[in-house]
């Protein structure tokens, strides 16, 4: 049996530069009415950039919703209609000053399926070239760090990296390296 909900009405509460928020009246599979609060987001991309020394390149930046600095793999928001693979390579160049080779898709992540439609597309690659030049947005402030892959896995297991896309990117990259596929 397939589960479903039928949308009957959508009321837009907010439409901003990045997100759109709406409350929908739905009919559940048992025929009962319900409300769903939804955040529409254009999606994002992230990349695990692995050096020849098996170090991952991270960014450390302040994340306002949590009021703290987070350690993350390079990532960014998709512009509407933008090709995710090209967006990921753009974010890699802008945030790490590197380009990659041997890109491998790590699949998609649905970070908050209870209320948000965001999908984050993940990749891993080997670093090909390093210019060291960052091209950050005017409101973007970050620091690059290099952490050995094995240490990054341990950090995930010790709950030192709370960001979900980063955890998944690290663990999938480690498995690919272990299998000789990256």
């Amino acid at each position: 049996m397939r589960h479903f909900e039928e949308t009957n009405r959508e009321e837009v509460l907010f439409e901003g530069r990045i997100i759109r928020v709406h409350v929908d009246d739905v009919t559940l599979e048992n025929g009962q009415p319900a409300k769903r609060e939804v955040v529409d987001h254009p999606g994002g991309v992230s990349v695990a950039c692995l050096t020849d020394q098996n170090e991952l390149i991270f960014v450390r930046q302040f994340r306002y919703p949590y009021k703290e600095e987070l350690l993350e793999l390079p990532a960014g928001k998709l512009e509407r209609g933008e090709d995710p693979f090209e967006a990921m390579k753009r974010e890699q160049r802008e945030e790490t000053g590197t380009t990659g080779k041997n890109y491998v898709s790590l699949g998609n992540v649905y970070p908050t399926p209870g209320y948000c439609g965001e999908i984050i597309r993940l990749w891993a690659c080997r670093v090909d070239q390093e210019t060291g030049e960052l091209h950050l947005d005017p409101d973007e402030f970050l620091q690059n760090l290099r952490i050995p892959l094995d240490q990054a896995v341990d950090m995930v297991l010790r709950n030192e990296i709370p960001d979900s896309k980063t955890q998944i990117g690290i663990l999938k990259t480690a498995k690919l390296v272990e299998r000789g596929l990256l």
Side-chain angles (χ1 to χ4, degrees), residues 45-107:
V45 294
S46 182
V47 60
C49 306
L50 194 61
T51 68
D52 289 338
Q53 294 77 38
N54 276 351
E55 297 171 318
L56 285 172
I57 301 175
F58 289 88
V59 297
R60 181 182 302 280
Q61 61 186 327
F62 185 81
R63 289 301 196 176
Y64 185 80
Y66 302 104
K67 306 289 191 283
E68 65 181 272
E69 276 189 326
L70 293 182
L71 190 61
E72 302 173 56
L73 292 175
K77 177 184 70 68
L78 278 171
E79 300 300 327
R80 296 204 189 275
E82 186 176 21
D83 177 77
F85 185 68
E86 294 305 317
M88 174 272 303
K89 292 193 300 185
R90 172 182 48 78
E91 288 294 333
Q92 178 182 354
R93 282 189 309 274
E94 290 176 0
E95 293 190 358
T96 71
T98 68
T99 59
K101 62 182 178 184
N102 304 327
Y103 286 95
V104 177
S105 173
L106 301 179

Side-chain angles (χ1 to χ4, degrees), residues 143-161:
Q143 171 190 11
N144 286 143
L145 291 93
R146 292 170 187 246
I147 298 174
L149 180 59
D150 290 341
Q151 181 182 341
V153 169
D154 290 341
M155 292 172 75
V156 169
L157 296 176
R158 289 191 307 263
N159 295 311
E160 295 173 10
I161 299 177

Side-chain angles (χ1 to χ4, degrees), residues 4-9 23-37:
F4 68 93
E5 296 180 1
E6 182 180 327
T7 304
N8 301 314
R9 186 176 77 84
V23 176
D24 296 356
D25 293 325
V26 303
T27 302
L28 304 176
E29 60 188 73
N30 65 0
Q32 295 298 306
K35 290 203 178 282
R36 296 291 184 245
E37 299 170 354

